[in-house]
Amino acid sequence: MNANLICPACGTQYPEDDVVWRCRCGSFLDLNDTFTCDPSRFRGPENLKRYASVLPLRNPSSAVTFGEGFTPLHPMVFYGIQVMAKMDFLLTTGSFKDRGAFLMINKCRELGIRSIVEDSSGNSACAIAAYCALAGIRAQIFMPAGNSSAKTVQVRTYGATLHKIPGNRSDCARAAEEAAGESYYAAHTRNPYFLHGTKTVIYEIMEQSRWEAPDYIFVPVGSGSQILGIWLGLQEMKRSGVIGRYPRLVAVQSEHCCPLKNNREGKQTPELPASPLLAEGIAIRIPPRMDQILEAVAQTDGDVVAVSDLDIVEALQASALQGVYIEPTSAAAVAAIKQYNGRLKQSDRVVVSLTGHGLKASARMETLINTA
Ligand SMILES: *Cc1c(COP(=O)(O)O)cnc(C)c1O
Ligand SMILES: [Zn+2]
């Protein structure tokens, strides 16, 4: 396959086998390929290799894998609304980030990269550290010092080198970028291969829905790696004539960090506090791919929603009372459905992405929820 990397800012192209992680102009890069979605080619094992025909891997059969994928699409009820919950917190490391890490780390493997640098609020670091362990690649992870200790412990236990950075998420990204130097900066916030991995979630949702597009998909959005993966997949399906219309993509953020909403209203997003937000996984003040996220929302006639911590806790409990234990970041997407109460039709098919496992945030939840 003749893939090329292309800079969305200045148009410069790079051959796919160049080990570059950013353009000379400083921008992140995208893949210049278009994949054809032909459902008859999705055969074989129910794991991510099933989608090899739409994945930018040269040698998918030799990709390393945990056999991941095909998380259930499970019926739940929130605020009296019937929704289908995509249970991505059931992936190997406990979040949807495994999809992106699967592809990005296998690409690193194909490119002969032996060492990577990543910065993360937690879950992407866990996913990348686990796939690096599987692939035999050295991982250096930069994390904000105040983050959930469960994620920190998980990352270190996988054998990654952990650098705890005082300050907030932005300080952390800066430190990682500086350290990347000659190594490969495998940032889920920018890396195009990561997005082609996360796009497998929409392929699964569509297969599980017999290729009938839902009306709404609620997604928690930080850097946008999941929503942009979904958007990539949907475009591939529409271009290939597999779907006739797009589901509305609803991008959900915390009201303490909502750059998408602020952007719409022409406002700046204030600096984040040093202590982590409740929805720590979506606390990204300036998502590098913000314009692309807003474009995905606009093109799908979607929406941008900010939710309160109170609503997040309520959503988390409503989920747990149905036996599904998710982390607060993940519950933010559920909380956004509340704002759609009365706006959804009975016939609307609603999907909510449950992105992260509750066990990772138990310590934090103990202080929030009266379990007595
Ligand atoms: C990372 C993360 C998100 C946000 O994903 P982005 O790709 O940064 O938009 C949402 N939920 C959980 C649990 C996460 O770990
Ligand atoms: Zn450029």
Side-chain angles (χ1 to χ4, degrees):
M1 206 192 76
N2 280 322
N4 270 312
L5 294 160
I6 187 167
C7 170
C10 74
T12 305
Q13 295 204 25
Y14 301 83
E16 186 224 7
D17 43 14
D18 267 18
V19 181
V20 287
W21 53 268
R22 70 174 157 199
C23 181
R24 277 185 288 274
C25 79
S27 166
F28 57 84
L29 297 168
D30 280 328
L31 269 193
N32 200 18
D33 314 78
T34 49
F35 295 93
T36 303
C37 165
D38 174 1
S40 74
R41 295 185 68 189
F42 303 144
R43 274 183 264 112
E46 294 202 333
N47 65 48
L48 298 188
K49 288 192 188 184
R50 179 180 183 84
Y51 301 111
S53 63
V54 293
L55 298 180
L57 287 176
R58 213 170 303 164
N59 220 333
S61 58
S62 67
V64 292
T65 166
F66 295 111
E68 64 290 279
F70 268 84
T71 57
L73 190 60
H74 174 62
M76 295 181 78
V77 177
F78 293 110
Y79 315 102
I81 298 163
Q82 169 89 43
V83 308
M84 297 303 283
K86 183 61 174 165
M87 313 269 271
D88 258 17
F89 63 93
L90 294 176
L91 291 164
T92 311
T93 77
S95 86
F96 82 92
K97 300 255 176 27
D98 285 25
R99 297 181 185 276
F102 163 81
L103 195 73
M104 183 174 71
I105 298 305
N106 272 299
K107 196 69 206 176
C108 288
R109 216 170 141 252
E110 285 190 348
L111 293 172
I113 292 165
R114 306 298 311 149
S115 162
I116 60 107
V117 167
E118 146 82 346
D119 65 283
S120 166
S121 64
N123 284 331
S124 62
C126 293
I128 288 169
Y131 280 84
C132 278
L134 182 68
I137 291 174
R138 198 169 101 82
Q140 290 202 66
I141 308 284
F142 290 73
M143 267 194 190
N147 259 57
S148 286
S149 65
K151 294 174 187 171
T152 321
V153 173
Q154 193 180 351
V155 164
R156 252 192 295 144
T157 311
Y158 288 131
T161 307
L162 188 68
H163 306 273
K164 283 196 171 187
I165 306 301
N168 59 33
R169 189 71 184 73
S170 321
D171 298 318
C172 192
R174 247 189 320 272
E177 210 171 318
E178 276 166 28
E182 295 304 297
S183 161
Y184 188 76
Y185 184 34
H188 71 287
T189 54
R190 302 175 190 217
N191 189 286
Y193 295 110
F194 200 91
L195 306 183
H196 282 269
T198 57
K199 86 181 176 192
T200 56
V201 74
I202 190 66
Y203 277 95
E204 288 183 13
I205 290 171
M206 291 298 295
E207 271 208 275
Q208 290 167 322
S209 315
R210 297 188 185 77
W211 299 97
E212 269 195 55
D215 296 289
Y216 290 86
I217 306 180
F218 286 79
V219 188
V221 174
S223 65
S225 81
Q226 187 176 47
I227 197 168
L228 290 174
I230 291 174
W231 175 228
L232 269 178
L234 288 172
Q235 289 173 279
E236 290 167 2
M237 291 169 199
K238 181 115 182 289
R239 234 188 274 117
S240 311
V242 173
I243 57 171
R245 59 160 182 86
Y246 293 128
R248 294 173 199 261
L249 297 182
V250 182
V252 185
Q253 303 199 296
S254 156
E255 65 180 18
H256 301 298
C257 179
C258 48
L260 299 174
K261 189 157 174 269
N262 291 340
N263 182 290
R264 275 196 165 179
E265 294 166 1
K267 287 192 264 182
Q268 293 282 320
T269 301
E271 285 289 340
L272 298 182
S275 58
L277 301 190
L278 177 60
E280 64 179 12
I282 46 176
I284 298 193
R285 186 175 154 252
I286 306 174
R289 293 180 178 274
M290 174 129 86
D291 292 347
Q292 294 181 338
I293 301 169
L294 291 167
E295 173 76 7
V297 168
Q299 291 286 326
T300 62
D301 202 14
D303 198 2
V304 163
V305 172
V307 297
S308 70
D309 285 359
L310 217 61
D311 282 348
I312 290 176
V313 174
E314 185 187 85
L316 192 152
Q317 287 177 307
S319 179
L321 289 173
Q322 296 171 70
V324 177
Y325 192 51
I326 52 175
E327 68 170 289
T329 303
S330 200
V334 175
I337 298 171
K338 185 178 182 182
Q339 300 186 21
Y340 269 73
N341 213 338
R343 280 155 80 186
L344 294 170
K345 294 194 294 287
Q346 197 64 39
S347 60
D348 279 337
R349 273 166 313 131
V350 178
V351 170
V352 62
S353 175
L354 301 187
T355 48
H357 206 300
L359 289 175
K360 299 207 187 203
S362 283
R364 188 84 201 267
M365 286 187 214
E366 198 175 19
T367 63
L368 293 169
I369 292 164
N370 184 3
T371 47

